[in-house]
């Protein structure tokens, strides 16, 4: 609890179309995500912090990455884990 869990998620276009990441959210209320965008806007490094008052036990949810891309506006990344006391 209260630890940062850095993860790197790479989002890129198959055909080279340029796009920007607009926001990143989590559907788990006790996980806070803050993205850092790469220079070319196709690399997102996400820092996830588990709230100190989060419930102990298994959790599953997702992180959503919203883009201005014409083909896929949002990417859903599954999150699974165990929160220890």
């Amino acid at each position: 609890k209260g630890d940062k869990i850095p993860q790197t998620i790479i989002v890129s276009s198959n055909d080279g179309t340029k796009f920007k990441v607009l926001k990143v959210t989590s559907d788990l209320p006790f996980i806070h995500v803050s993205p850092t965008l790469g220079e070319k806007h196709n690399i997102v490094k996400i820092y996830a912090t588990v709230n100190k008052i989060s419930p102990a036990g298994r959790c599953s949810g997702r992180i959503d990455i919203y883009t201005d891309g014409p083909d896929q506006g949002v990417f859903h990344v599954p999150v699974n884990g165990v929160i220890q006391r």
Side-chain angles (χ1 to χ4, degrees):
K1 294 183 180 183
D3 292 334
K4 287 191 176 184
I5 309 157
Q7 295 293 321
T8 301
I9 298 172
I10 299 173
V11 181
S12 62
S13 170
N14 289 338
D15 63 4
T17 302
K18 293 189 181 203
F19 65 92
K20 291 183 181 179
V21 173
L22 304 174
K23 69 178 179 175
V24 179
T25 63
S26 172
D27 69 347
L28 296 168
F30 48 84
I31 293 184
H32 173 74
V33 291
S34 57
T36 302
L37 304 179
E39 290 179 12
K40 296 181 180 179
H41 296 285
N42 68 336
I43 298 175
V44 179
K45 188 162 194 169
I46 295 173
Y47 291 96
T49 304
V50 178
N51 191 321
K52 291 182 181 181
I53 58 171
S54 62
R58 293 190 179 273
C59 67
S60 66
R62 69 180 192 209
I63 293 173
D64 296 325
I65 303 170
Y66 295 87
T67 75
D68 66 353
D71 295 327
Q72 188 169 355
V74 66
F75 297 89
H76 306 290
V77 180
V79 174
N80 297 293
V82 176
I83 297 174
Q84 298 178 349
R85 292 183 186 259

